[in-house]
């Protein structure tokens, strides 16, 4: 009988909101070929309890979260793999990164109950072993972080000797195809750990070509510290996913509470694999996130993050239109405006941009002015920020009595609280802006278009209720299934949505004589 040869595919995937990304530039301390870390969980929720890896058995170690949409989609595929390898390997799935605001010694943490309810709801869809991470995030801290992984879903394969044979995303589609190939190989007579180590090194070599610390340095040998001022634009030739802000963020310059890997020297900023349209948005747009208003979270002491953090400064949601308007002869040269139509696996028309200015001149206004000049010199387009009448949705009161009866908080003076269970959202002692957040998250313009509202209707939600008191807000799961369903829910609590327009700042990109003649 001929032995089957296995070729392990190298796959790099890009997902919106950075849910699957490795942290760019992070030191990787756990890699293929290393001994697998130990298992330590708060509770096993389904299947067999696995305390340690048994010699002679292969394990698929997968990481998920209840809030992760790709994680949910991969469940039936993991069940298929579990049944396929039933007598040869174990599939272990650990739920990590769940919001936990309770003391670490809480006996029955709410986040565990949330995962339990999620698993119960899945029923027979899940046919593999499930456990939930400890309150101090042991599994995340000992597996994902050392491997340089910042999100889920991700999977590891542990071979028969207890060594890590494979690490990658575990999403439905090509990610699972590569996972299955790796499992087949780990179970085969041909298996050699050194082969897997070499495969991993080949991928590392590809990613090394896109080292954020060197990609813009070109062949300059001087120490960066010798530069007082410089900026650079470089054409991309490799599309490697990089987690980065799509706005100017000076917090890494000042905030000592950030982990060391996220801090930056004052005056330096870099972006990678950006379309021209995104570079223009950085150079001319407001310097804060404008896609969603800030979410209210308990770790911000029940107050608005924008009001308590010295570098947040608020949000420009609804003040600036989310995408530059292209009034050019060839829009493709500037970049696709619709996120779901973008070719994330292509390096075409992508650029890296870096800027370094003296510390005494390091402010966003000066950085943007410098970037504007660079883009004008390189691309040549005429760009302006105009005030235009743009679409929006206004939240209004239909019946004040019903609003007060349904929304006014019953627990005046209590701390802000947020609970999410089985698709239902419950806020206590919050403000009307939490409703704006839920609307924006589900139906506003986002990089991950849920398809719940037509593209031309995706616009900011503006509060015009005048509600200035604390509210309790319960949003049933059904309300989020469609835009019409949410409108019905709003009417039940005395509110309604009105399609309208609002004066907003708009970045307008036009051809110049130079671009027309190119």
């Amino acid at each position: 009988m001929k032995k089957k040869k296995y070729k392990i595919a190298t796959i790099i995937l890009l997902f919106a909101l950075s849910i699957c990304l490795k942290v760019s530039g992070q030191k990787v301390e756990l890699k293929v070929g290393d001994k697998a870390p130990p298992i330590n969980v708060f509770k096993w929720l389904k299947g067999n309890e696995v305390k340690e890896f048994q010699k002679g058995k292969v394990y698929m170690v997968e990481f998920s979260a209840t809030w992760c949409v790709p994680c949910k989609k991969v469940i039936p595929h993991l069940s298929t793999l579990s049944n396929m390898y039933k007598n040869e390997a174990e599939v272990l799935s650990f739920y990590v990164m769940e919001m936990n605001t309770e003391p670490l010694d809480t006996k029955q943490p709410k986040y565990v109950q949330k995962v339990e309810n999620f698993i119960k709801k899945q029923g027979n869809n899940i046919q593999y072993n499930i456990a939930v991470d400890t309150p101090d995030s042991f599994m995340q801290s000992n597996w994902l972080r050392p491997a340089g992984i910042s999100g889920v879903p991700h999977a590891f394969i542990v071979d028969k000797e207890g060594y890590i044979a494979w690490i990658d995303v575990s999403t439905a589609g090509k990610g699972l195809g590569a996972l299955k190939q790796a499992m087949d190989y780990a179970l085969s007579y041909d298996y050699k750990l050194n082969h897997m180590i070499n495969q991993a090194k080949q991928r590392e070599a590809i990613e090394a070509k896109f080292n954020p610390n060197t990609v813009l340095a070109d062949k300059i040998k001087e120490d960066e510290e010798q530069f007082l001022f410089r900026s650079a634009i470089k054409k991309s030739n490799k599309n490697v996913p990089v987690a980065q802000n799509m706005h100017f963020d000076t917090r890494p310059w000042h905030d000592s509470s950030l982990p060391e890997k996220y801090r930056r020297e004052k005056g330096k900023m870099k972006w990678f694999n950006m379309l021209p349209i995104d570079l223009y948005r950085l150079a001319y747009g407001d310097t804060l996130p404008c896609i969603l208003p800030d979410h209210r979270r308990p770790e911000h002491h029940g107050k608005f993050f924008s009001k308590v953090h010295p570098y947040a400064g608020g949000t420009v949601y609804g003040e600036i239109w989310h995408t530059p308007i292209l009034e050019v002869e060839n829009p493709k040269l500037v970049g696709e405006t619709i996120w779901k139509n973008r070719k994330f696996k292509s390096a075409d028309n992508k650029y890296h941009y870096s800027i370094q200015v003296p510390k005494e001149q390091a402010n966003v206004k000066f950085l943007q002015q410098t970037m504007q000049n660079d883009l004008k010199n390189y691309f040549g387009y005429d760009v302006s920020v105009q005030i235009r009448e743009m679409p929006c949705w206004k939240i209004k009161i239909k019946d004040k009595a019903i609003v007060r009866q349904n929304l006014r908080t019953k627990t005046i003076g209590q701390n802000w609280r947020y609970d999410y269970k089985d698709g239902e959202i419950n806020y206590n002692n919050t403000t009307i802006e939490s409703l704006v957040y839920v609307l924006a998250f589900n139906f506003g313009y986002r990089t991950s278009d849920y398809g719940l509202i037509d593209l031309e209707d995706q616009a900011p939600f503006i509060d015009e209720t005048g509600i200035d008191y604390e509210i309790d807000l319960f949003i049933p799961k059904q309300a989020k299934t469609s835009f019409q369903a949410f409108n019905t829910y709003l009417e039940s609590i005395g509110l309604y949505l009105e399609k309208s327009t609002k004066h907003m700042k708009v970045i307008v990109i036009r051809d110049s004589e130079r671009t027309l003649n190119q």
Side-chain angles (χ1 to χ4, degrees):
M1 183 177 175
K2 248 185 174 180
K3 289 184 178 179
K4 192 174 181 179
K5 299 294 182 183
Y6 293 88
K7 184 177 180 181
I8 309 303
T10 298
I11 296 176
I12 300 173
L13 301 176
L14 176 61
F15 286 90
L17 303 178
S18 302
I19 55 174
C20 300
L21 297 184
K22 286 192 175 183
V23 178
S24 175
Q26 179 174 324
K27 184 179 179 182
V28 176
E29 299 170 345
L30 182 66
K31 55 189 182 298
V32 173
D34 290 344
K35 198 74 174 176
I39 297 172
N40 181 25
V41 299
F42 182 84
K43 186 178 182 180
W44 286 91
L45 304 178
K46 191 159 189 174
N48 301 319
E49 182 176 330
V50 179
K51 293 184 177 180
E52 59 184 16
F53 298 112
Q54 296 179 12
K55 190 172 182 179
K57 199 168 196 176
V58 173
Y59 294 86
M60 182 191 302
V61 179
E62 196 261 354
F63 290 87
S64 291
T66 58
W67 47 262
C68 167
V69 176
C71 298
K72 188 174 180 180
K73 289 182 178 179
V74 84
I75 286 174
H77 302 285
L78 291 177
S79 292
T80 298
L81 292 177
S82 178
N83 290 325
M84 187 181 299
Y85 301 116
K86 198 167 188 177
N87 299 320
E88 302 174 278
E90 292 253 27
V91 176
L92 314 178
S93 183
F94 299 99
Y95 276 71
V96 297
M97 302 181 186
E98 302 292 340
M99 182 188 289
N100 179 27
T101 59
E102 298 175 296
L104 297 181
D105 59 355
T106 302
K107 292 184 178 179
Q108 296 294 331
K110 289 182 180 178
Y111 82 93
V112 175
Q113 296 172 25
K114 177 183 173 183
V115 177
E116 282 186 294
N117 291 334
F118 177 83
I119 300 304
K120 286 178 182 177
K121 188 175 179 181
Q122 293 299 317
N124 290 330
N125 288 335
I126 297 178
Q127 298 178 26
Y128 48 93
N129 310 302
I130 301 279
V132 61
D133 202 359
T134 59
D136 62 354
S137 305
F138 180 91
M139 295 301 290
Q140 181 184 351
S141 300
N142 287 272
W143 286 77
L144 296 179
R145 286 177 186 162
I149 296 169
S150 64
V152 289
H154 262 84
F156 298 69
I157 291 177
V158 178
D159 70 12
K160 295 176 181 179
E161 298 297 324
Y163 290 92
I164 295 175
W166 189 84
I167 306 172
D168 210 334
V169 293
S170 55
T171 49
K174 292 183 179 178
L176 276 179
L179 177 57
K180 183 182 180 303
Q181 286 183 4
M183 282 291 289
D184 287 343
Y185 180 67
L187 290 164
S188 73
Y189 292 109
D190 292 335
Y191 174 74
K192 291 182 176 61
L193 180 60
N194 282 338
H195 175 69
M196 302 301 278
I197 293 173
N198 290 334
Q199 287 282 338
K201 286 180 178 179
Q202 288 176 24
R203 182 165 61 180
E204 287 172 10
I206 293 172
E207 294 179 355
K209 293 178 182 178
F210 192 82
N211 184 342
N213 297 316
T214 61
V215 69
L216 282 157
D218 209 3
K219 295 184 179 179
I220 299 174
K221 302 297 183 184
E222 294 90 347
D223 186 348
E224 273 196 1
E225 298 304 318
Q226 295 179 7
F227 288 98
L228 295 177
F229 183 101
R230 73 168 181 171
S231 59
I233 298 175
K234 184 176 181 181
K235 190 78 172 67
S236 173
N237 60 4
K238 191 71 65 177
N239 196 53
V240 176
V242 178
Q244 58 191 329
N245 285 323
M246 297 295 283
H247 62 280
F248 277 86
D249 183 7
T250 60
R251 185 183 172 197
W253 293 352
H254 312 281
D255 193 348
S256 59
S257 69
L258 286 174
E260 185 68 34
K261 64 189 176 189
Y262 295 125
R263 296 180 207 167
R264 298 288 181 270
E265 185 176 339
K266 188 176 181 181
K268 293 181 180 179
M269 286 194 175
K270 297 177 181 180
W271 289 273
F272 306 96
N273 283 330
M274 302 284 279
L275 288 167
I277 191 172
D278 294 325
L279 292 174
Y280 279 113
R281 184 168 64 174
L282 283 164
Y284 288 88
D286 278 284
T287 59
L288 294 164
C290 64
I291 301 302
L292 291 177
D294 291 325
H295 198 9
R296 293 38 170 150
R297 300 182 67 170
E299 54 263 45
H300 302 147
H301 314 292
K303 299 178 181 178
F304 299 157
F305 179 62
S306 58
K307 292 181 180 177
V308 299
H309 201 288
Y311 311 113
T315 177
V316 295
Y317 182 79
E319 299 300 320
I320 181 168
W321 189 245
H322 47 68
T323 306
I325 291 177
L326 305 184
E327 296 179 352
V328 297
E329 194 172 86
N330 191 349
K332 289 183 179 180
L333 293 178
V334 187
E336 176 60 64
T337 58
I338 301 174
W339 276 84
K340 65 181 181 180
N341 291 344
R342 291 190 174 191
K343 297 178 180 178
F344 289 109
K345 296 181 182 179
S346 170
D348 292 345
N349 204 26
K350 301 280 182 67
Y351 297 85
H352 315 312
Y353 180 79
S354 164
I355 185 169
Q356 177 180 343
V357 301
K359 292 180 181 179
E360 59 273 15
Q361 293 178 271
N363 60 71
V364 171
K365 184 177 179 180
F366 181 70
L367 288 168
Q368 282 192 300
Q369 289 173 342
T370 304
M371 191 174 184
Q372 289 170 15
N373 291 332
D374 289 339
L375 297 180
K376 177 65 176 177
N377 290 333
Y378 187 80
F379 296 111
Y381 292 99
D382 289 334
V383 184
S384 61
V385 178
Q386 303 178 11
I387 303 295
R388 292 192 181 184
E389 199 81 15
M390 302 302 292
C392 71
W393 292 96
K394 292 182 177 179
I395 311 169
K396 293 190 170 185
I397 289 181
K398 188 174 184 178
D399 189 314
K400 283 187 178 181
I402 294 178
V403 168
R404 287 180 177 275
Q405 180 183 346
N406 284 278
L407 295 185
R408 186 182 281 276
T409 185
K410 310 296 189 297
T411 55
I412 296 174
Q414 296 296 311
N415 289 332
W416 177 93
R417 192 159 59 90
Y418 167 82
D419 288 307
Y420 179 88
K421 181 179 178 181
D422 294 335
E424 297 179 339
I425 299 174
N426 196 25
Y427 288 97
N428 293 101
N429 298 89
T430 189
T431 72
I432 194 66
E433 287 181 273
S434 290
L435 177 62
V436 177
Y437 174 84
V438 175
L439 278 164
F441 187 89
N442 289 279
F443 307 108
Y445 180 86
R446 287 173 55 78
T447 54
S448 52
D449 180 15
Y450 294 141
L452 296 175
I453 184 171
D454 292 338
L455 190 65
E456 57 268 23
D457 288 332
Q458 293 180 7
F461 292 85
I462 309 299
D463 169 40
E464 289 202 352
T465 63
I467 296 174
D468 57 0
Y469 47 83
E470 287 188 350
I471 65 173
D472 294 335
L473 189 63
F474 173 75
I475 302 174
K477 179 181 179 180
Q478 183 62 28
K480 297 179 292 173
T481 57
S482 71
F483 196 46
Q484 183 179 355
F486 207 100
N487 273 284
T488 302
Y489 157 74
L490 289 176
E491 290 183 5
S492 73
I493 59 173
L495 302 173
Y496 72 99
L497 287 174
E498 177 183 275
K499 193 168 186 181
S500 185
T501 59
K502 181 178 183 289
H503 283 102
M504 300 184 203
K505 294 179 183 177
V506 179
I507 303 168
V508 181
I509 303 175
R510 290 174 171 158
D511 277 315
S512 65
E513 185 177 344
R514 173 183 152 193
T515 59
L516 286 171
N517 293 326
Q518 284 178 346

